[in-house]
Amino acid sequence: MRILGADCIIATLGSFHKHLRSLVLRLFGPENLRLVMLHDVQRIAHASLLSWLHQPRIELKQATSSMIFSVTAKRLISYDESSSSEGKLWMQFNAFLQGLLAFPLYIPGTAFYRCMQGRKNVMKILRKLLDERKKAAHRGSIDFLDLLIDDLKEKKHLMNENFALDLLFLLLFAGFETTSSGITAALRFLSDDPKALQELTEEHDNIRERRDDPDSEITWEEYKSMKFTSHVIHEALRLGNIAPVMFRKVIEDVHIKGYTIPKGSKIMINPSSAHLNPTIYKDPNEFNPWRWKDRAEPVGGASKEFMAFGGGLRLCVGADFAKMQIAIFLHCLVTKYRWKAIKGGTMVLSPGLQFPDGFHIQLLPKA
Ligand code: HEM
């Protein structure tokens, strides 16, 4: 909570928590995904891929982070990197990210200290933006910050400026860090699996061929038809365990399998104990997207066997958005380009998915 803010959505309970979720879902819920985000995501994916084409190498995690940050920050705070006086806002998150899983020693020089400084810098920018926006005359287009300001004016809930700023911070961070890891992991697995890559490419080429104009925009129906892509995404997220742990506080004694977890305990849930369990997933360390053909994909994004997006009341509110971004990116990639792994690509899976030497690729036009 020190890292994400004491007023962060993850620390809220009950009806206020529900209210915050419903606000976020106005942006990342199915209706807005279909009508607004689908278009935004493909426009930025196409532009990013085209710009990578002329570069000798691309570090994928960083490049996709920047791409995803543009999509999210545009709708959250109308952020446009090219016209921003603050420099690359997403770069300001870097120090923050470095110390995310560090020992919490707040002394200059430690990773945790840098992390907290990174947070301070981003919060300063967000605070300035909020103050400016409150004074601004009516604007033409509406973003998530405007929704939050309207909500603040209504004063119906516990909402205050600190909650609003912490929510913006979390959404900016959660949006790009996790999804870019998902894309990088998917491409890393596909690089070693030509059969899966071929089936994926065929799925997307078929979608393109069925259109009157092959270059027209991806429709919602097309997106929903991407079955093998969805298997690839689930498999990459199962193995990647991007959110390595989740925390819960026990509010009443829990009796389970002959044990009692006493009230007041704090629990750390480790999703990989399900994701890598050989009785649930045969040969669990193998990348095998076909395994999802025979098993129901988790309804609503989660089950006891698949917890990449958590579950229950705190199920990730960005799950559908993240899956859509990965699928659309893959579509834009495999229909027009191919890639060559150049350097790095070593994946460290614990304590959280990391690519210590990055994953450098060269993007080439499709043969
Ligand atoms: C592959 C991408 C993603 C993964 C693996 C992921 C994973 C998770 C997990 C495991 C949780 C539950 C944490 C818990 O139960 O304690 C969570 C919650 C959350 N996620 Fe995501 N996430 C992803 C993408 C996103 C995106 C794109 C957004 C929004 C832009 C987002 C926003 C949130 C928020 C706001 C919560 C807190 C929900 C609550 O407390 O009610 N996530 N995410």
Side-chain angles (χ1 to χ4, degrees):
M1 287 191 340
R2 274 170 80 189
I3 289 174
L4 292 173
D7 293 324
C8 176
I9 181 172
I10 60 162
T12 60
L13 295 168
S15 62
F16 185 49
H17 173 233
K18 269 196 203 137
H19 174 65
L20 290 182
R21 283 184 71 94
S22 73
L23 270 178
V24 177
L25 285 170
R26 282 170 71 180
L27 188 63
F28 298 124
E31 187 71 358
N32 211 47
L33 289 187
R34 184 169 66 85
L35 296 174
V36 178
M37 303 310 269
L38 180 64
H39 165 78
D40 282 9
V41 170
Q42 47 192 309
R43 194 179 53 79
I44 295 186
H46 276 307
S48 304
L49 284 162
L50 193 62
S51 72
W52 300 353
L53 190 58
H54 306 293
Q55 299 185 32
R57 71 152 88 148
I58 286 291
E59 200 291 294
L60 200 61
K61 174 74 171 48
Q62 204 168 23
T64 50
S65 292
S66 160
M67 173 184 81
I68 286 162
F69 189 80
S70 314
V71 179
T72 318
K74 178 178 171 227
R75 294 290 168 190
L76 282 174
I77 53 174
S78 299
Y79 177 76
D80 177 0
E81 191 178 286
S82 54
S83 60
S84 164
S85 56
E86 310 291 352
K88 292 189 168 169
L89 181 59
W90 79 268
M91 293 286 266
Q92 313 254 11
F93 275 96
N94 258 354
F96 169 76
L97 291 169
Q98 304 298 315
L100 202 56
L101 288 172
F103 190 77
L105 196 60
Y106 190 65
I107 296 175
T110 62
F112 183 67
Y113 184 84
R114 281 195 298 278
C115 168
M116 296 305 274
Q117 293 303 310
R119 175 178 160 84
K120 257 193 207 159
N121 290 340
V122 177
M123 289 308 274
K124 233 188 264 166
I125 296 171
L126 294 179
R127 160 68 61 190
K128 191 170 145 219
L129 204 64
L130 175 68
D131 291 343
E132 282 168 6
R133 191 68 71 79
K134 279 193 306 189
K135 285 186 226 138
H138 191 67
R139 294 167 359 106
S141 63
I142 293 188
D143 60 17
F144 189 70
L145 183 56
D146 293 317
L147 287 182
L148 287 176
I149 291 174
D150 285 348
D151 205 63
L152 283 167
K153 282 186 199 147
E154 278 187 25
K155 294 192 174 128
K156 264 201 267 171
H157 305 270
L158 294 171
M159 188 61 132
N160 61 34
E161 291 191 358
N162 290 341
F163 277 116
L165 292 172
D166 276 352
L167 184 58
L168 277 178
F169 181 87
L170 179 73
L171 291 175
L172 281 169
F173 151 69
F176 82 90
E177 177 51 19
T178 49
T179 313
S180 58
S181 298
I183 293 182
T184 310
L187 256 65
R188 179 66 193 79
F189 289 122
L190 288 167
S191 299
D192 282 349
D193 194 332
K195 203 168 147 250
L197 180 58
Q198 191 189 341
E199 186 157 339
L200 182 86
T201 308
E202 276 167 16
E203 176 163 279
H204 291 284
D205 282 345
N206 288 340
I207 290 175
R208 211 167 167 260
E209 277 158 22
R210 279 197 296 270
R211 292 183 193 141
D212 292 339
D213 171 5
D215 288 326
S216 61
E217 281 208 351
I218 304 163
T219 64
W220 186 251
E221 290 66 33
E222 285 172 353
Y223 163 57
K224 285 288 165 186
S225 76
M226 297 172 181
K227 285 279 171 280
F228 188 70
T229 309
S230 175
H231 299 336
V232 168
I233 294 170
H234 279 93
E235 188 65 350
L237 295 179
R238 177 187 72 81
L239 278 169
N241 289 301
I242 292 166
V245 289
M246 288 175 268
F247 300 97
R248 293 292 182 273
K249 196 165 156 183
V250 180
I251 52 172
E252 57 188 50
D253 283 3
V254 176
H255 305 286
I256 184 165
K257 296 186 179 170
Y259 294 91
T260 299
I261 308 174
K263 179 179 169 182
S265 311
K266 288 178 183 139
I267 302 192
M268 188 173 91
I269 303 157
N270 178 352
S272 62
S273 55
H275 294 167
L276 301 179
N277 180 341
T279 60
I280 304 177
Y281 298 99
K282 190 171 171 273
D283 300 324
N285 294 313
E286 248 175 48
F287 176 74
N288 174 10
W290 294 275
R291 72 170 85 237
W292 292 92
K293 276 193 167 153
D294 308 322
R295 55 191 313 135
E297 280 183 7
V299 182
S303 71
K304 279 184 188 157
E305 299 181 350
F306 184 79
M307 290 179 248
F309 293 108
L313 291 175
R314 305 229 162 233
L315 176 72
C316 174
V317 267
D320 289 339
F321 179 45
K323 285 190 273 185
M324 185 185 92
Q325 287 190 90
I326 304 175
I328 300 305
F329 176 80
L330 288 173
H331 177 87
C332 300
L333 174 70
V334 301
T335 49
K336 296 212 166 153
Y337 307 94
R338 62 200 163 92
W339 72 92
K340 207 160 77 181
I342 301 262
K343 188 177 154 244
T346 307
M347 277 195 279
V348 174
L349 297 175
S350 184
L353 178 67
Q354 282 175 42
F355 295 87
D357 315 314
F359 181 35
H360 302 257
I361 59 158
Q362 187 181 21
L363 193 68
L364 302 160
K366 197 165 167 171

